[in-house]
Amino acid sequence: MDVIAVINQKGGVGKTTTTVNLGVALAERGKRILLIDMDPQANLGTHLGIDVNDGATTIYDVLTRDKRLCDVLRETTEPEVFCVPSNLELSAAELELVSMVGRETLLRDALEVLETGEPGRFDSVLLDCPPSLGVLTINALCAATRVLVPLQAEFFALQGMAKLTEIIGLVQRRLNPEVTLDGIVACKVDRRTKLTHEVLDEVRRFFGDRLMDTVIRPNVKLAEAPSYGQSVLSYAPDSNGAEDYRRLAREWVGELAKDVPTDRDVEPIAAEGAAEVE
Ligand code: ADP
Ligand code: MG
């Protein structure tokens, strides 16, 4: 079972959007997917049409009350995509877990149990992380086999990346030797601007091939889809957003031919000449 932590301690960079749409794109490719919300803001469940305040159990009960994931997960509007939602209650977990022995591996332990029981057998689990590097994100890193970092190609994009790679390194050495930073995906990126090219070049200098060739373009359908409780692949299957996330899924599973044109082949134009996309 592939466990993908979608992490960036900055908010608003595209973590939840990437978790939902990459997850659904992987499901379209025949995989059975579980999405887990580790963020008390609870955007993931809402994005998938779940009422996160209906009193049902959430990831909070798994982490603090020994509930099993299989009893907490729910169906979503997307075929073969299941979700363990959170709600604001999860913000209390950080404090509640402070004195608990083994608090960093609660999620990993819960996933191990899930794998052995019904309705186990998920091909991939995606973890939508909060915009911080606290105990919830550490739980995600301890449970993960791979890390995917969405970032926005803006002037401050690399700020905070040193801290993030340091934390991943620390977890790798002490708690989870398996975890690796496998991908960085630029989100809401207009690849025709000069600034974008400069920022992506900078990211590539630091992270080399781990910067995904696939770039997620700004697309209003991606911002609209959550209010319909759907992924962009269901809400607007022919949109740029759907196309980009399908391509990201192919690249993520290693099925993209190397000769497919990438953003590197697109000539930059001056920033002020960049038109709004869609
Ligand atoms: P995070 O989870 O990192 O806080 P989100 O995925 O919630 O970030 O994205 C922040 C906001 O930007 C949301 O309103 C989302 O709909 C919007 N958004 C994300 N990606 C795109 C995109 N490629 N184009 C347009 N809007 C986007
Ligand atoms: Mg989010």
Side-chain angles (χ1 to χ4, degrees), residues 10-17 43 188 216-219 222-223 226:
K10 279 192 193 174
V13 294
K15 290 183 291 296
T16 303
T17 306
N43 295 149
K188 301 193 230 181
I216 311 298
R217 291 167 282 183
N219 183 251
L222 280 166

Side-chain angles (χ1 to χ4, degrees), residues 26 85 156:
L26 290 169
F156 293 113

